Amino acid sequence: MAAVVMGLAAGPAVAADQVYWGNEGGKNISHANVAGGGGDDIPITGVSVDHPQGLAIDSAAGKIYWVNRDVADYSIRYANLDGSAGSILDTTGAPVDDPLGLAIDPALGRLYWVNFGGNSVYYANLDGSGGGELDTSGAVVETPVGLAVYPAQNRIYWANFEDSSNPVAFANLDGTGGGGSLDLTGAEVDMPEGIAIDPLSNRVYWANRESIGFASANGGDGGKVDTDGLPTEPPEGLAIDPFRNTIYWGERESDIIGFAGLDGVGPFGFVETTGATADDPGYPVLLQDPRNTGAPTISASPVPGDAVRVRRPLGTPAIARHRRMLSCTQGSWAPDLLESFLYRAPHTISFQWLRNGNPISDATTSSYLATEVGTYLCRVAAANAAGSTSSESAPVGISAAFKLGEPRFNHRKGTASLLVGVSGAGTLALSGKGVKLRKVTVKERGNALISTLVVKPKGRAKERLQSERKSKLNVRVTYTPAGGSPLRRSKRITLRLAGR
């Protein structure tokens, strides 16, 4: 699950879709922008990188894993995507002996790998509690090179490098066996090395010695990817972006990361790696910024204690306040495509509240107490090492209200007290022909805000009151809530003066 941070995170150092790879010759891990512009090496600290041949990314955790294929120290290692906090994963119970290929399933909390020359598929728990051997009953595991998990099918696939009878095999991901060999009818197969799956077409792809083959995950319907003459001698490891219809591979002889269209139409080319090491590159994986699949939503609730429950004397216009507790969901974000080695899950989720289109200072958590009228929305930013993507909720309006009570008359003075209930902080103004505002008071009554406006005549209205002992006034009350537009109410009041 993505971490929730307070406030919008600063822009990540890497700000574009990325391809990562391991350099068997360079003994480091590098990345570059898929769209061009070059790349860089990851400055990994705390642990060494030696002959990496197999990568996997836990985008939500912000970590990268690799197999260390140093004959003196075979191991599974990891670091943060910025290179910090490198360490060795505890694989107790699962041998790491000449490993080739790596696959991750964060939902199960596992990493999987195969050992060249071995006859098993192994896993280790991401929490460092060791691992074990996956049940592959019914399948052949013979000189395996590369593997891929396919959670939607509850399967894990691997390539058997030297077994021409069972070059691509599979078993159940949940450890219940169910193994078998994929029907590769129509496909080109020649010492397969590395597996990736396109979930949109439901095809399994593998790297041959000089080409890339494929077949349906249901069996048959095989073929070969048209790489338009790009170097594939041999391709090592595969990654797929099904939405751009593109497959990537590492090419050791030419030291490139090549790509081609899955449908044979294009695009074709190789990733610009200027600034990054490309020395026997292999096992590419893709990291994209988060993809929003559903906007966040806001719920607005009255603030506990704000409900008006006062016993109202005659003429007291109690009214509920317009304060609201706003809560914002994270929205929904596209998951990783583990089978394709395409990672895009958010690493952090951050919030920013806006009022009337403007960011509210320090309003950077998933909830906000709105005390002013206006139009509110929530902006959610999801970020990982490839970049940040924002999504906004639909707006929610908070409106003010007020009520006028019945006037209370002082016939000795010839005035009236007009009670006004308002829904929140603001100002009150009394106007009208012949009307004079003498006094305004605001006080709490229970959970209500009550203001008292004393109405006194002036000018000719005052003269009529004194001569005729009564005066009719049209009174206008204007309530301007804090940060809002004026609201107006009118009332006709007849002042009377007691006889002497």
Side-chain angles (χ1 to χ4, degrees):
M1 179 179 291
V4 177
V5 299
M6 303 300 107
L8 290 177
V14 178
D17 292 354
Q18 299 285 299
V19 57
Y20 288 74
W21 65 91
N23 294 293
E24 185 180 7
K27 297 185 179 182
N28 52 9
I29 297 172
S30 306
H31 64 89
N33 295 336
V34 168
D40 203 354
D41 299 335
I42 302 179
I44 294 174
T45 59
V47 70
S48 65
V49 182
D50 201 337
H51 296 83
Q53 288 190 282
L55 298 182
I57 289 177
D58 186 343
S59 182
K63 296 184 181 297
I64 187 167
Y65 294 82
W66 68 92
V67 295
N68 224 52
R69 202 159 174 255
D70 178 9
V71 295
D73 186 12
Y74 291 133
S75 58
I76 308 296
R77 303 189 173 195
Y78 65 91
N80 293 330
L81 276 163
D82 64 4
S84 63
S87 190
I88 300 175
L89 186 67
D90 184 352
T91 58
T92 302
V96 183
D97 184 8
D98 199 8
L100 282 166
L102 194 64
I104 192 170
D105 189 343
L108 292 179
R110 286 181 172 182
L111 276 170
Y112 298 86
W113 70 91
V114 288
N115 296 320
F116 187 73
N119 56 2
S120 297
V121 176
Y122 298 101
Y123 67 87
N125 298 316
L126 295 175
D127 62 7
S129 59
E133 180 181 341
L134 185 70
D135 184 353
T136 58
S137 300
V140 173
V141 187
E142 181 68 35
T143 57
V145 182
L147 73 173
V149 298
Y150 196 3
Q153 279 197 349
N154 184 36
R155 278 185 176 180
I156 185 167
Y157 290 82
W158 62 91
N160 290 316
F161 186 69
E162 294 180 353
D163 190 335
S164 59
S165 300
N166 304 279
V168 177
F170 58 85
N172 290 340
L173 192 57
D174 61 8
T176 58
S181 296
L182 188 64
D183 177 4
L184 306 184
T185 301
E188 182 170 301
V189 186
D190 184 10
M191 293 186 175
E193 182 175 356
I195 295 283
I197 299 162
D198 174 9
L200 300 187
S201 65
N202 196 37
R203 282 180 173 176
V204 179
Y205 290 77
W206 60 89
N208 293 310
R209 280 197 298 179
E210 296 182 0
S211 64
I212 299 171
F214 65 83
S216 169
N218 298 324
D221 194 25
K224 182 179 76 169
V225 174
D226 180 4
T227 57
D228 197 37
L230 291 170
T232 54
E233 298 179 0
E236 186 172 278
L238 300 173
I240 293 174
D241 183 344
F243 306 105
R244 292 187 175 127
N245 197 41
T246 306
I247 189 166
Y248 297 80
W249 66 91
E251 210 284 327
R252 292 180 294 185
E253 294 297 323
S254 301
D255 291 333
I256 65 167
I257 302 296
F259 59 85
L262 292 172
D263 58 6
V265 175
F268 300 97
F270 52 88
V271 175
E272 182 187 348
T273 59
T274 303
T277 301
D279 188 355
D280 285 348
Y283 292 91
V285 299
L286 301 170
L287 180 67
Q288 298 180 345
D289 59 342
R291 301 320 199 230
N292 181 253
T293 57
T297 58
I298 296 177
S299 59
S301 305
V303 177
D306 273 2
V308 175
R309 296 187 181 91
V310 296
R311 176 176 290 181
R312 295 181 293 171
L314 181 65
T316 303
I319 186 171
R321 298 187 183 185
H322 61 242
R323 295 194 303 178
R324 292 291 183 271
M325 179 60 72
L326 305 179
S327 297
C328 183
T329 67
Q330 295 184 10
S332 55
W333 303 89
D336 295 330
L337 296 183
L338 305 175
E339 60 274 13
S340 303
F341 294 94
L342 186 152
Y343 309 100
R344 54 189 179 171
H347 177 46
T348 59
I349 298 287
S350 52
F351 299 87
Q352 176 65 65
W353 289 93
L354 294 87
R355 175 178 170 272
N356 297 335
N358 300 311
I360 304 171
S361 177
D362 298 325
T364 54
T365 64
S366 61
S367 60
Y368 177 70
L369 176 59
T371 59
E372 295 184 307
V373 299
T375 300
Y376 291 82
L377 61 82
C378 173
R379 179 182 296 152
V380 176
N384 59 27
S388 178
T389 304
S390 296
S391 179
E392 292 184 351
S393 69
V396 170
I398 294 181
S399 301
F402 79 112
K403 293 181 180 179
L404 302 180
E406 293 302 318
R408 298 178 181 180
F409 297 98
N410 186 329
H411 297 310
R412 185 177 63 84
K413 295 182 177 181
T415 61
S417 295
L418 183 61
L419 300 178
V420 182
V422 298
S423 60
T427 60
L428 281 170
L430 184 67
S431 62
K433 187 176 181 180
V435 176
K436 180 180 180 180
L437 176 62
R438 180 177 180 183
K439 185 175 66 173
V440 176
T441 61
V442 180
K443 63 177 69 175
E444 291 273 351
R445 293 188 183 179
N447 295 317
L449 288 172
I450 304 296
S451 300
T452 302
L453 304 179
V454 178
V455 181
K456 186 176 181 180
K458 66 178 182 178
R460 291 185 179 180
K462 182 177 179 180
E463 293 173 359
R464 283 196 302 271
L465 179 65
Q466 292 174 341
S467 62
E468 301 176 11
R469 294 295 189 252
K470 70 176 182 179
S471 182
K472 295 181 180 180
L473 302 176
N474 288 318
V475 175
R476 171 175 288 186
V477 179
T478 301
Y479 167 47
T480 305
S485 300
L487 302 175
R488 297 178 176 86
R489 300 282 188 274
S490 296
K491 200 170 192 70
R492 189 173 180 83
I493 295 176
T494 300
L495 299 177
R496 296 181 185 276
L497 189 63
R500 296 174 181 172

